[in-house]
Amino acid sequence: MAFELPDNLHPNCGPIAWMLGTWRGNGHGDYPTIDAFQFGQELIFTHDGRPFFHYMARAWVIDENGEKVRDAAIETGFIRAVGDGRFEILLTHNTGIAEIWEGEADNGKFEWTTDAVARTETAKEYVAGKRLYGNVEGDLLYAFDMAAMGQPLQPHLWARLKRA
């Protein structure tokens, strides 16, 4: 699907402009404290001309046939363009976690590292993360590594999404 840069795109958002729009696909998850699983996901990146994107993601667990089993994670927030390919990311999750990330983008690659994590009293332990988003053959590929539940930073989620 062809993608055109919006006329009102803020120049500082240029390095991640390719992400704008809606993306859907499937991925895999694994971690030492849970059973491996597959999931479907939708990511939505929007903007209004100011130097930030609004981001929303929702996921659902799927079975081996790709059929939805149950709803899973939801996260939303803002990707703030600082300039020179640098970004500040603020995310909140339905699981009671709020995060601040620092990111850098260049040549179709967008890498995030956590700067701060806050949790509600009932949220599971989560202390750090690293994300890598890439434009690969026109698809959005990503990987999410996390440190949680007493485990060191390690792979947790990976997916390939197509522009919807």
Side-chain angles (χ1 to χ4, degrees):
M1 178 176 287
F3 171 73
E4 292 184 24
L5 285 176
D7 292 337
N8 67 341
L9 181 72
H10 191 282
N12 289 354
C13 293
I16 61 168
W18 65 271
M19 299 177 86
L20 281 170
T22 300
W23 301 83
R24 292 189 189 102
N26 293 335
H28 302 274
D30 199 5
Y31 206 68
T33 60
I34 61 172
D35 292 330
F37 62 96
Q38 295 182 57
F39 62 93
Q41 189 168 42
E42 177 181 69
L43 305 182
I44 303 170
F45 297 90
T46 63
H47 80 103
D48 64 6
R50 292 180 284 174
F52 65 85
F53 287 1
H54 177 250
Y55 163 76
M56 195 278 205
R58 65 186 185 97
W60 51 94
V61 175
I62 58 174
D63 64 20
E64 60 278 351
N65 299 317
E67 298 297 320
K68 181 179 175 179
V69 175
R70 64 177 170 80
D71 288 316
I74 299 173
E75 62 184 21
T76 190
F78 296 92
I79 302 170
R80 301 177 61 216
V82 177
D84 296 323
R86 295 178 32 252
F87 296 84
E88 300 168 339
I89 301 102
L90 299 93
L91 294 182
T92 57
H93 304 262
N94 64 312
T95 56
I97 295 171
E99 302 170 275
I100 297 173
W101 299 74
E102 295 176 346
E104 290 189 20
D106 190 29
N107 295 320
K109 179 175 128 178
F110 191 18
E111 194 163 0
W112 304 7
T113 305
T114 49
D115 180 49
V117 175
R119 301 187 319 262
T120 63
E121 183 180 335
T122 59
K124 291 183 180 179
E125 180 201 22
Y126 166 76
V127 296
K130 185 172 181 157
R131 296 187 186 198
L132 176 61
Y133 295 86
N135 183 338
V136 180
E137 299 171 348
D139 291 347
L140 188 156
L141 274 64
Y142 81 85
F144 170 46
D145 295 353
M146 81 173 176
M149 306 302 291
Q151 301 292 315
L153 188 69
Q154 60 192 288
H156 174 46
L157 303 173
W158 55 98
R160 184 175 198 127
L161 310 176
K162 297 192 176 295
R163 190 176 294 281

